[in-house]
Each structure stands twice: as C-alpha cells, then as structure tokens.
Amino acid sequence: MNLMLRRAASAFPTSSSRRLFSGSCFDSTAPAAAASPDSSPGGLYGFPVLRTAKGFRRFVDDAIERSGELVSYVSLLPPSGEIIRALDEISDTVCAVIDSAELCRNTHPDREFVEEANKASMRIIEHLHFLNTNQSLYDAVKRAEDIPLLTDEAQRAAHALRTDFEKGGIHLPADKLERVNKLNVEIAHLGREFNENIMIDPGSLDIFPASRIPKHMHHCFKPIYQPIHKMTKGELKVEDIKKEKGFRVRTDPSMLSSLLQFVSDAEVRKQSYITGNSAPHANLGVLNKLISARHELAQIMGCKSYAEFAIRSNMAASSVIVSSILLNLSKIVKHKADEEFLSMRDFKRQVCCGENLDLEPWDESYFTSMMKSSLYDLDPSVIASYFPLSQCLEGLKIMVNSLFGATFHKVAFAAGESWHPDVIKLSLHHPQEGDLGFLYLDLYSRKGKYPGCAHFAIRGGRQISEKEYQLPIVALVCNFSTGTGSMAPRINHCDLETLFHEFGHALHSLLSRTDYQHFSGTRVLLDFAETPSNLFDISAHTEVGMFEMLLTEQLKMNFGRNWILVLSLSILVFRIFVCKAASKLFLLLL
C-alpha cells in the first residue's frame, strides 16, 4: 500500500498502525522536532495534547503541520542518509496519531474519546495517502537509495520506502493514481466500519432455562427472565404465574470459544456457533464492497487478485507460493487429521449412544476437551485453578528476567494517562542498557471494548541522536473474565497461550533496537511478524510444570523458604532444554 504506512503486526485484524517514515532529522538546519510523549506529564498514553477528547483534533493538526515542514525540508536535501531520517520522522509523527487513535477507539470507555479518535484516524489516514503519493518525497528516496555509503539499515529503509511508495501507485498515470487514492480511502473506511459493526453487535442469544449453561459460566452473562404459567383447570391466577431464569449469552470470539468448549447442551452449542459466526449481518454488505474495492485496486496495480497484490512485498512474495505451502502441509497432516476426526466422531457416538451421529462444527471443542479429560484425567476447571491471572503475569516477568536479563516494574500513571481503572503500566528495565520501553496492560473484558486479544503499538523505537533513543510504547489488550466475588481471575490454558503469544509481540516491540521506527518491533514484514510471538507462546506448552510450581501456594507449603530455589532450578532446566536455542533465535530476529 504505502511507503509510510506499512501495517504493524498486531493481532488486531485491521489495525491501522502502519508505517510511515519515522525518524528524526539530525541536521541542525532541520525544523525543530515535535514534542515526544515523555517531554511533558499527563495526557492519554503520555501525550500532553490528549488531556481531553478534543485534543485528538490538535494532535492531527500538529502532525499535518510537522509533516508538511519535513516534506519541504526533504525536497531541498541533496542525496544523503538525512533524507531517510527525515522520512522516518514523518512516519513517526503520523503513526503516533494513527496508532493512538486505533487503541483509543477500540478500548476507551468514554464515547467522546472514541468518536474523536475515529475522526482523527480518518483525517490522518487521508493525509497519509497524500504523503504516499508525494512525488518530491518519492524522488528524494530514490536519490538516497543510490548512495553507496549508507549503513545497511539505512539502505534497507530506503529500499522499503521506495517499494511502499510504488505499492501506493505513485508510478502510475495521474488518472489511475487518483483512482488508487480513492480506493485506498474507501478500503480504510470499510475496514473501520467492519470492525465497528463487530464491536456494536457481537451477537447474542437468549438461553432458557439457566441450567443449560454451566454454573462456572453464570457470572459471565446477564440474567433474564420469562414468565411461565402453571396450567390449571380453572382461571389463571396471579400466584400461578412464575418466572423462569435464563441468560442472554454473548457470542463474541472469546465467549464463543468458552461456550463451545464447556456447554454440554448440543443445541446451545449449535445456536451459539451459528450466531457467533454470522453476526453482525450488516457486515455482509460491507464485505461485498470491500472485496470489490480490493479487487479493483489489485487490477489497477497490475495484479490478478488482491491476494497477489498484498503478498508480493512480503517474504512469501507470491500467492502461488503460499497456496503451494498450504496444499503441501495439508497433504502431510491429512492422514493424522482424518484419524483424529474419526476418533472424535466415534467418541461422540459412544458418549451420546448414537451409532449414526455425525461430528458437527460446534462439536469439535467440546469433545476434544472431553476426550482429553477422559484419556489423561484432566479437568479444565482444575487446570484453570493453576493459572490465576496475576500469577501468570508474575511468571511472565520471571521468564523475561531469566531469558533476557530485563525486569518489569509497575509505574504510576501521570494525570489522564490511563483510560480505565483496570489498566496498569509497566516499564521494562535492563541493568546495563537502562529503560527499554513501556507496556500498558488492559486485560479484562468490558462493554464496548475490542472483543479479542491484541498487541497495539503506540510509539516505535528509533535513534534520535547518538545519546538519545526514543523508547517504544505498546499496549497488550485482552478480554479475560474478572472473576467472581472474592475469587481471583483465573484463565484456562487456551487463554494462557493467547497471553503468551501477545506478550511475545510486546517483547518484540520492547526489545528491538533500530535506527528507524520503520523497522521497530512488529513493524516488519507481515509474514515474519508472528515468528517471535510464536516462539514465545511455545512456553505455554513446554513450561506448564514450572508454572504449576509458580502458581500454587502448595509450592511454598511444600518447600518453605526454599520454594524460590526450586522455582529457579525449574527455570534453569527450562532454559537449558527449551529456551536457550529459542531465546537466541528470538534475539537474532529482533
């Protein structure tokens, strides 16, 4: 799509955290740099301009003004590495607005902030399309790319920027370029509408009686009541009218996963599956428009399909290669998949006493869980008892310290920096390198919040001067249950995998050190961005034994003061046999 706006790797499906140029101008003749979020206290995410919702308007105005100054500056520069730094600063300036607005519109409980973030996002994206089709910037980056004395990273940045410009259609005739710009804006609007519809209407159904929902899930849903009438021979009396309790069940992705795994009532699973995979109905029209716009864009850009257009700048480079990989993988696993399917179908027939029963799509999670419980004597609720969320976070901190020598510390918010009482802020510190970055944790489900789990970049890291590095700021957003009564929030093993995965994205952003924010953290090729997070979430499987000791009070009871020593030895064993190679690979990937 564009030079400055490469999409950041986030679990969020259409995150607008995209790359623009980001960097800072070292030349003393360059215009003064805009203030960073750390230069003044207070304001949402540490940006002083965001002390109020309407601050987003000023945020956009300042970014447009600053990028305009830098465009003029770049157009006058001779071929040099300073061109790349100035382009990177434009990217950093614009992406700060895009990424902050994206996080705000998906998590902020105040509707005014959400609406202002929406407006800001669309304004800055439209400005971004102007930047991505600016001929003077394109000419400047081509001049810079030909300089043989650039550093390796600067050379790669110049190449990436030029490629992104061309992906935005800057090399096309004027009429086609204008159409590409309109299509990109339309696609951005449709993507926004698609996700807003999901947040507004994630789907729900009413289940009666309440007994059809497992007791341990009752606290997740809103109780509802319907009248039931006791049939009598005579006239119906008021005292004969009773109310039956039920639940209004949400079918957002997180809740749907739990329903399909734990609900024994096949009809409830079926209705939940259908509702969860068909709502919101408004998105059918949005999808049709989106498919049409993407296809037209791809054809103008000389591609047969949008898949070919989207993949060609990534590592896979070709949709044909991707299809080949998937088909070959399918052949490899087909035999094992067929075996597992038949085993699960036979297990269902045995449990349900039906010889001709088929395995339905809404059966997979339920019977997989039941088979594991039967074969390995596993109870999901007992497993969840080992994973109080607070202790899982402590376990992650210990692993990060063990693997990378860095420590997370909880830090206080400045005025207006947080967006909800549940949010906490952590800094990552290394004894030799100092502060590495900041992480916001927004982990609990609430109304109006993005329904999945995602890593959001707020600010990328970059080298501002020889002595100053702009620290990355990221947010980890999840939708875990808050727990009931005095019971601490607990997560199942599937949620633990998700937490590890998203935490891996956050670590990728916090640990990477790049001259240009264009390459900071997850701002890499999309088919590479999942590698560090997948390496990290392996730990959710290989490290369960260590976590059992960490997360239960029995550890302290059984080993007394030596429980820390036992835990340390467990981590050491884990590092030797599992993490050593993985951590080295993780660091090489940063």
Side-chain angles (χ1 to χ4, degrees), residues 13 38 44 55 68 76 130 139 145 164-165 214 216 247 260 295 380-381 423 450 471 540:
D38 299 328
L44 189 63
L76 300 175
F130 158 74
D139 292 339
E145 191 178 9
D164 286 348
F165 268 122
H216 77 274
F247 289 106
L260 294 179
H295 184 68
S381 62
V423 177
Y450 169 65
L471 297 179

mmCIF file of all heavy atoms in Angstrom, residues 13 38 44 55 68 76 130 139 145 164-165 214 216 247 260 295 380-381 423 450 471 540:
data_model
loop_
_atom_site.group_PDB
_atom_site.id
_atom_site.type_symbol
_atom_site.label_atom_id
_atom_site.label_comp_id
_atom_site.label_asym_id
_atom_site.label_seq_id
_atom_site.Cartn_x
_atom_site.Cartn_y
_atom_site.Cartn_z
ATOM 1 N N PRO A 13 -7.117 -7.390 13.663
ATOM 2 C CA PRO A 13 -7.181 -7.727 12.264
ATOM 3 C C PRO A 13 -6.926 -6.608 11.277
ATOM 4 O O PRO A 13 -6.339 -6.811 10.250
ATOM 5 C CB PRO A 13 -8.598 -8.264 12.103
ATOM 6 C CG PRO A 13 -9.305 -7.993 13.361
ATOM 7 C CD PRO A 13 -8.304 -7.703 14.405
ATOM 8 N N ASP A 38 7.034 11.862 26.337
ATOM 9 C CA ASP A 38 7.714 11.921 27.626
ATOM 10 C C ASP A 38 8.121 13.344 28.024
ATOM 11 O O ASP A 38 8.598 13.569 29.115
ATOM 12 C CB ASP A 38 8.983 11.060 27.586
ATOM 13 C CG ASP A 38 8.649 9.604 27.318
ATOM 14 O OD1 ASP A 38 7.580 9.165 27.749
ATOM 15 O OD2 ASP A 38 9.459 8.936 26.669
ATOM 16 N N LEU A 44 -3.499 11.266 27.665
ATOM 17 C CA LEU A 44 -3.696 9.865 27.292
ATOM 18 C C LEU A 44 -2.447 9.299 26.632
ATOM 19 O O LEU A 44 -1.866 9.903 25.723
ATOM 20 C CB LEU A 44 -4.892 9.763 26.335
ATOM 21 C CG LEU A 44 -5.404 8.375 25.991
ATOM 22 C CD1 LEU A 44 -5.923 7.660 27.239
ATOM 23 C CD2 LEU A 44 -6.516 8.464 24.938
ATOM 24 N N GLY A 55 -8.565 16.902 22.139
ATOM 25 C CA GLY A 55 -7.142 17.000 21.861
ATOM 26 C C GLY A 55 -6.720 16.241 20.624
ATOM 27 O O GLY A 55 -5.685 16.542 20.014
ATOM 28 N N GLY A 68 4.325 18.495 7.008
ATOM 29 C CA GLY A 68 4.471 19.461 5.924
ATOM 30 C C GLY A 68 5.824 20.155 5.964
ATOM 31 O O GLY A 68 6.469 20.366 4.915
ATOM 32 N N LEU A 76 14.550 19.784 -0.376
ATOM 33 C CA LEU A 76 15.728 20.619 -0.589
ATOM 34 C C LEU A 76 17.032 19.894 -0.287
ATOM 35 O O LEU A 76 18.115 20.442 -0.516
ATOM 36 C CB LEU A 76 15.639 21.871 0.301
ATOM 37 C CG LEU A 76 14.418 22.780 0.066
ATOM 38 C CD1 LEU A 76 14.405 23.904 1.083
ATOM 39 C CD2 LEU A 76 14.433 23.335 -1.356
ATOM 40 N N PHE A 130 -2.011 11.302 0.862
ATOM 41 C CA PHE A 130 -1.366 12.432 0.178
ATOM 42 C C PHE A 130 0.156 12.286 0.257
ATOM 43 O O PHE A 130 0.865 12.472 -0.745
ATOM 44 C CB PHE A 130 -1.804 13.754 0.827
ATOM 45 C CG PHE A 130 -0.865 14.900 0.584
ATOM 46 C CD1 PHE A 130 -0.806 15.523 -0.657
ATOM 47 C CD2 PHE A 130 -0.005 15.335 1.587
ATOM 48 C CE1 PHE A 130 0.084 16.567 -0.890
ATOM 49 C CE2 PHE A 130 0.887 16.379 1.365
ATOM 50 C CZ PHE A 130 0.928 16.998 0.121
ATOM 51 N N ASP A 139 10.962 11.020 -5.273
ATOM 52 C CA ASP A 139 12.223 11.326 -5.956
ATOM 53 C C ASP A 139 13.380 11.381 -4.967
ATOM 54 O O ASP A 139 14.491 10.921 -5.255
ATOM 55 C CB ASP A 139 12.103 12.664 -6.700
ATOM 56 C CG ASP A 139 11.124 12.602 -7.876
ATOM 57 O OD1 ASP A 139 10.852 11.479 -8.348
ATOM 58 O OD2 ASP A 139 10.636 13.672 -8.296
ATOM 59 N N GLU A 145 18.543 6.171 -2.161
ATOM 60 C CA GLU A 145 18.791 4.729 -2.318
ATOM 61 C C GLU A 145 20.045 4.449 -3.137
ATOM 62 O O GLU A 145 20.675 3.400 -2.993
ATOM 63 C CB GLU A 145 17.581 4.056 -2.969
ATOM 64 C CG GLU A 145 17.636 2.546 -2.944
ATOM 65 C CD GLU A 145 16.403 1.899 -3.565
ATOM 66 O OE1 GLU A 145 15.584 2.627 -4.171
ATOM 67 O OE2 GLU A 145 16.259 0.668 -3.453
ATOM 68 N N ASP A 164 7.302 0.852 -0.890
ATOM 69 C CA ASP A 164 5.989 1.224 -0.358
ATOM 70 C C ASP A 164 5.352 2.349 -1.168
ATOM 71 O O ASP A 164 4.138 2.367 -1.379
ATOM 72 C CB ASP A 164 6.120 1.646 1.107
ATOM 73 C CG ASP A 164 6.342 0.457 2.027
ATOM 74 O OD1 ASP A 164 6.167 -0.678 1.567
ATOM 75 O OD2 ASP A 164 6.694 0.669 3.204
ATOM 76 N N PHE A 165 6.174 3.324 -1.588
ATOM 77 C CA PHE A 165 5.651 4.378 -2.457
ATOM 78 C C PHE A 165 5.042 3.770 -3.714
ATOM 79 O O PHE A 165 3.937 4.128 -4.142
ATOM 80 C CB PHE A 165 6.789 5.328 -2.875
ATOM 81 C CG PHE A 165 6.965 6.507 -1.964
ATOM 82 C CD1 PHE A 165 8.173 6.739 -1.343
ATOM 83 C CD2 PHE A 165 5.929 7.403 -1.744
ATOM 84 C CE1 PHE A 165 8.359 7.837 -0.516
ATOM 85 C CE2 PHE A 165 6.098 8.500 -0.920
ATOM 86 C CZ PHE A 165 7.317 8.724 -0.301
ATOM 87 N N PRO A 214 -23.311 -24.012 31.987
ATOM 88 C CA PRO A 214 -22.549 -24.496 33.150
ATOM 89 C C PRO A 214 -22.471 -23.431 34.251
ATOM 90 O O PRO A 214 -22.350 -22.242 33.976
ATOM 91 C CB PRO A 214 -21.159 -24.772 32.561
ATOM 92 C CG PRO A 214 -21.381 -24.993 31.111
ATOM 93 C CD PRO A 214 -22.534 -24.122 30.735
ATOM 94 N N HIS A 216 -20.173 -22.579 36.297
ATOM 95 C CA HIS A 216 -18.966 -21.758 36.402
ATOM 96 C C HIS A 216 -18.946 -20.628 35.374
ATOM 97 O O HIS A 216 -18.078 -19.735 35.432
ATOM 98 C CB HIS A 216 -17.710 -22.622 36.260
ATOM 99 C CG HIS A 216 -17.390 -23.041 34.857
ATOM 100 N ND1 HIS A 216 -17.928 -24.169 34.271
ATOM 101 C CD2 HIS A 216 -16.588 -22.484 33.910
ATOM 102 C CE1 HIS A 216 -17.474 -24.298 33.041
ATOM 103 N NE2 HIS A 216 -16.661 -23.289 32.797
ATOM 104 N N PHE A 247 -30.323 -16.828 30.515
ATOM 105 C CA PHE A 247 -29.180 -15.939 30.315
ATOM 106 C C PHE A 247 -29.175 -15.388 28.892
ATOM 107 O O PHE A 247 -29.536 -16.093 27.943
ATOM 108 C CB PHE A 247 -27.859 -16.667 30.549
ATOM 109 C CG PHE A 247 -27.602 -17.007 31.992
ATOM 110 C CD1 PHE A 247 -27.727 -18.312 32.439
ATOM 111 C CD2 PHE A 247 -27.242 -16.017 32.904
ATOM 112 C CE1 PHE A 247 -27.492 -18.630 33.760
ATOM 113 C CE2 PHE A 247 -27.012 -16.330 34.235
ATOM 114 C CZ PHE A 247 -27.142 -17.635 34.666
ATOM 115 N N LEU A 260 -18.405 -23.125 23.321
ATOM 116 C CA LEU A 260 -18.223 -24.337 22.520
ATOM 117 C C LEU A 260 -17.415 -25.396 23.262
ATOM 118 O O LEU A 260 -17.537 -26.583 22.974
ATOM 119 C CB LEU A 260 -17.531 -23.982 21.197
ATOM 120 C CG LEU A 260 -18.337 -23.091 20.245
ATOM 121 C CD1 LEU A 260 -17.523 -22.790 18.996
ATOM 122 C CD2 LEU A 260 -19.662 -23.750 19.862
ATOM 123 N N HIS A 295 -10.329 -5.760 -5.151
ATOM 124 C CA HIS A 295 -10.075 -6.388 -6.453
ATOM 125 C C HIS A 295 -9.749 -5.332 -7.505
ATOM 126 O O HIS A 295 -8.806 -5.501 -8.298
ATOM 127 C CB HIS A 295 -11.283 -7.210 -6.883
ATOM 128 C CG HIS A 295 -11.070 -7.958 -8.173
ATOM 129 N ND1 HIS A 295 -10.184 -9.001 -8.281
ATOM 130 C CD2 HIS A 295 -11.613 -7.788 -9.417
ATOM 131 C CE1 HIS A 295 -10.185 -9.461 -9.528
ATOM 132 N NE2 HIS A 295 -11.052 -8.736 -10.228
ATOM 133 N N PRO A 380 -10.642 -29.297 32.967
ATOM 134 C CA PRO A 380 -10.277 -27.916 32.610
ATOM 135 C C PRO A 380 -10.416 -26.932 33.765
ATOM 136 O O PRO A 380 -9.609 -26.010 33.904
ATOM 137 C CB PRO A 380 -11.261 -27.581 31.477
ATOM 138 C CG PRO A 380 -11.616 -28.900 30.879
ATOM 139 C CD PRO A 380 -11.624 -29.868 32.026
ATOM 140 N N SER A 381 -11.428 -27.126 34.611
ATOM 141 C CA SER A 381 -11.611 -26.193 35.724
ATOM 142 C C SER A 381 -10.479 -26.339 36.746
ATOM 143 O O SER A 381 -10.045 -25.359 37.364
ATOM 144 C CB SER A 381 -12.964 -26.431 36.405
ATOM 145 O OG SER A 381 -13.034 -27.740 36.959
ATOM 146 N N VAL A 423 -6.478 -0.736 33.954
ATOM 147 C CA VAL A 423 -5.221 -0.675 33.196
ATOM 148 C C VAL A 423 -4.041 -0.477 34.147
ATOM 149 O O VAL A 423 -4.123 0.287 35.111
ATOM 150 C CB VAL A 423 -5.269 0.470 32.164
ATOM 151 C CG1 VAL A 423 -3.934 0.577 31.416
ATOM 152 C CG2 VAL A 423 -6.409 0.252 31.178
ATOM 153 N N TYR A 450 -12.837 -3.675 22.300
ATOM 154 C CA TYR A 450 -12.469 -4.625 21.251
ATOM 155 C C TYR A 450 -12.555 -6.046 21.816
ATOM 156 O O TYR A 450 -11.964 -6.346 22.851
ATOM 157 C CB TYR A 450 -11.059 -4.321 20.759
ATOM 158 C CG TYR A 450 -10.462 -5.382 19.875
ATOM 159 C CD1 TYR A 450 -11.004 -5.668 18.631
ATOM 160 C CD2 TYR A 450 -9.357 -6.120 20.283
ATOM 161 C CE1 TYR A 450 -10.466 -6.653 17.820
ATOM 162 C CE2 TYR A 450 -8.803 -7.099 19.485
ATOM 163 C CZ TYR A 450 -9.361 -7.362 18.257
ATOM 164 O OH TYR A 450 -8.825 -8.345 17.454
ATOM 165 N N LEU A 471 12.094 5.571 23.263
ATOM 166 C CA LEU A 471 11.664 4.276 23.772
ATOM 167 C C LEU A 471 10.299 3.883 23.208
ATOM 168 O O LEU A 471 9.409 4.729 23.084
ATOM 169 C CB LEU A 471 11.595 4.302 25.297
ATOM 170 C CG LEU A 471 12.924 4.535 26.032
ATOM 171 C CD1 LEU A 471 12.694 4.561 27.535
ATOM 172 C CD2 LEU A 471 13.951 3.470 25.665
ATOM 173 N N ALA A 540 3.983 -21.719 26.699
ATOM 174 C CA ALA A 540 2.716 -22.064 27.341
ATOM 175 C C ALA A 540 2.508 -23.571 27.365
ATOM 176 O O ALA A 540 1.692 -24.084 28.133
ATOM 177 C CB ALA A 540 1.553 -21.386 26.607
#
